[in-house]
C-alpha cells in the first residue's frame, strides 16, 4: 500500500473529548470517527487492525474445535420473555418495535437465540458435545459511554456457547475456552490474567474475566504478583484432553486474582505480603458456566443414553474484539504514539523515502516494497512529498513495529536503516538484509492478512 493512495486522516491536535490514551491515539491516528455517543465508524487503519484481531480469534477458536456461525443483530422479544430476561436485563437493552408493532431488541448477547437454534435441531445426546460461536456487532445502551471503543454502546464481540450432556463435560468446555483465550491474547502481545469474577446478568456460579493491567482500567483488581510470571508460550495442547485443559486452568487460576466484585480480603491476606498487588484492569473477555439455566427455561433437552430427556448444560464465552484494540494501545504506547505488537500490526513495516522523486531512492523503495509483498508481508510505503520529520512522526503515531528508512546518502553506501518502533534502535544494512530480517522476525508470528 502506498500512503499517497491510502485514507489516513491523522490529527496533529488531541480532540478534547478523548480522556484516555487509547481514545486519543485512535482518533489522532485516523482509526475511528465518532458517529454518535458511543458509536464509531471504523476507518481503514482501525478496520484493518480489527480484522487482524478477529482473524486471530477465529483461528484459535477453530483450533479448539469450536464451530463459527452468524446470528442476527436484531432479535425477537418473545425469546427473551420465554427465558425471563426481557424485563430483568434492564435499560442497557435497546428495545425497538417494527412496522407491524412486533417487539424486537438489538442484541446485547445471544444465549436465548443460540438455545432456540439448538433446541430446534438437536434431539439426541449422540449429537453432542457442541460449541458454536460468532463474531458479531452487539449493542448495550450504556448510560455514560466513554473512553472510545473501551466503553462504547456498539461493539464487536466474539460470543461462543457450549452445549454438553453433563456438568463435567460443560466444565471441560469451560477449561477448553480458558486455554484458547490464553493462546489468543498472547498472540496479540497481551498478558490477560484470568480472575474470579461476578456473573452479572448472564448468570451462573463459575466465571472468570480476563483482564489486562492498565492504569485506565475500569475494574479494581487484587492479585498475587506470581500470576504475572505465567505464560502459555508455544506449548502444544490437546483440547480433547480433560487432564491437560484442567491442568492449565489450575496453573493459571490457583494464585489469588480477583476483581473487586469477588474480592475476599481474608483470602488475599493469605498471599505473602510482598506479592500482594492492587491495580486497575481492562476486561477483554469472560467465560461462564451456568448449567441448565437457559435450557430449563427454553426447553432445550435431548434424549439421554437411557432414553430419558436431559436438560443440556451450557456456558457462554466472550471476547471483546473491538475493545481489544483499546486495551492493546493502553498496554503498548509511548509519548509519540501507538506501538503495535507484531501479531496485530496493520502493516508489518513502514518504508520511508527521504527524497521522493530521486530516481535511485524511488527505485530502492519500490524494490523493498515488492520484496516484502513477495514474502507475504504487508508494507506501508510513505511515498508522499513531505519532509522527513513529518513522515517519521506519522510512522511513530500509527505504530508500525518496524520502519525501513531509505535515502540517497545511505544508498551510496549500499545500505538502508531498519528501526524498531519499540526500542528506537536502528541498524544500517543492505536492503536485502533488511527484508531477510523482517521475514525472520515475522516467521515467529503467524501472519494474519486482510
Amino acid at each position: 500500500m502506498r500512503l499517497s493512495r491510502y485514507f489516513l486522516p491523522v490529527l496533529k491536535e488531541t480532540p478534547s473529548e478523548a480522556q484516555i490514551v487509547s481514545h486519543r491515539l485512535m482518533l489522532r491516528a485516523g482509526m475511528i470517527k465518532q458517529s454518535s455517543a458511543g458509536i464509531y465508524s471504523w476507518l481503514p487503519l482501525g478496520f484493518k487492525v480489527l480484522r487482524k484481531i478477529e482473524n486471530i480469534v477465529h483461528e484459535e477458536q477453530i483450533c479448539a474445535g469450536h464451530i463459527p456461525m452468524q446470528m442476527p443483530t436484531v432479535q425477537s422479544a418473545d425469546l427473551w420473555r420465554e427465558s425471563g430476561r426481557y424485563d430483568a436485563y434492564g435499560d442497557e437493552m435497546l428495545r425497538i418495535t417494527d412496522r407491524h408493532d412486533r417487539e424486537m431488541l438489538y442484541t446485547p448477547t445471544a444465549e436465548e437465540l443460540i438455545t432456540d437454534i439448538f433446541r430446534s435441531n438437536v434431539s439426541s445426546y449422540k449429537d453432542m458435545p457442541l460449541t458454536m460461536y460468532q463474531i458479531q456487532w452487539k449493542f448495550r445502551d450504556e448510560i455514560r459511554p466513554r473512553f472510545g471503543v473501551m466503553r462504547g454502546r456498539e461493539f464487536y464481540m466474539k460470543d461462543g456457547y457450549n452445549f454438553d450432556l453433563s456438568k463435567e463435560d460443560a466444565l471441560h468446555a469451560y477449561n477448553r475456552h480458558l486455554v484458547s483465550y490464553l493462546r489468543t491474547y498472547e498472540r496479540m502481545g497481551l498478558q490477560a490474567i484470568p480472575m474470579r469474577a461476578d456473573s452479572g446478568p448472564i448468570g451462573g456460579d463459575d466465571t472468570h474475566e480476563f483482564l489486562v493491567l492498565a492504569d485506565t482500567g475500569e475494574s479494581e483488581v487484587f492479585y498475587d504478583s506470581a500470576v504475572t510470571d505465567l505464560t502459555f508460550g508455544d506449548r502444544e495442547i490437546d483440547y480433547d484432553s480433560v487432564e491437560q485443559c484442567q491442568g492449565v486452568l489450575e496453573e493459571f487460576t490457583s494464585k489469588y486474582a480477583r476483581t473487586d466484585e469477588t474480592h475476599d480480603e481474608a483470602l488475599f491476606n493469605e498471599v505473602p505480603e510482598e506479592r500482594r498487588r492492587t491495580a486497575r484492569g481492562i476486561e477483554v473477555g469472560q467465560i461462564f458456566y451456568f448449567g441448565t439455566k437457559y435450557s430449563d427455561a427454553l426447553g432445550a433437552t435431548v434424549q439421554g443414553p437411557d432414553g430419558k430427556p436431559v436438560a443440556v448444560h451450557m456456558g457462554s464465552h466472550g471476547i471483546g474484539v473491538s475493545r481489544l484494540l483499546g486495551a492493546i494501545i493502553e498496554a503498548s504506547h509511548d509519548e509519540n504514539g501507538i506501538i503495535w505488537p507484531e501479531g496485530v500490526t496493520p502493516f508489518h513495516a513502514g518504508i520511508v523515502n527521504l527524497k521522493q522523486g530521486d530516481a535511485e531512492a524511488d527505485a530502492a523503495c519500490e524494490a523493498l516494497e515488492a520484496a516484502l509483498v513477495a514474502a507475504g508481508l504487508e508494507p506501508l510505503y510513505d511515498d508522499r512529498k513531505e519532509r522527513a520529520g513529518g513522515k517519521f512522526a506519522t510512522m511513530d503515531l500509527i505504530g508500525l513495529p518496524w520502519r525501513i528508512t531509505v535515502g540517497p546518502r545511505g544508498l551510496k553506501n549500499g545500505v538502508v536503516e531498519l528501526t524498531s518502533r519499540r526500542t528506537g534502535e536502528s541498524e544500517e544494512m543492505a536492503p536485502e538484509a533488511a527484508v531477510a530480517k523482517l521475514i525472520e522476525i515475522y516467521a515467529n508470528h503467524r501472519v494474519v492478512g486482510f
Side-chain angles (χ1 to χ4, degrees), residues 325-340:
L325 271 84
I328 291 169
I329 293 170
E330 291 292 333
S332 186
H333 67 273
D334 62 15
E335 66 276 8
N336 295 318
I338 302 165
I339 305 173
W340 290 117

Side-chain angles (χ1 to χ4, degrees), residues 109-126:
T109 183
E111 283 80 7
E112 284 81 0
L113 192 55
I114 191 70
T115 305
D116 180 54
I117 291 169
F118 178 88
R119 72 181 178 182
S120 300
N121 294 280
V122 180
S123 58
S124 171
Y125 75 96
K126 295 178 182 179

Side-chain angles (χ1 to χ4, degrees), residues 13 32-33 53 125 128 143 148 175 200 229-230 350 357 361 410:
E13 303 297 326
I32 56 172
K33 183 182 186 304
I53 291 173
Y125 75 96
M128 298 170 64
I143 190 169
N175 297 348
D229 297 327
L230 299 174

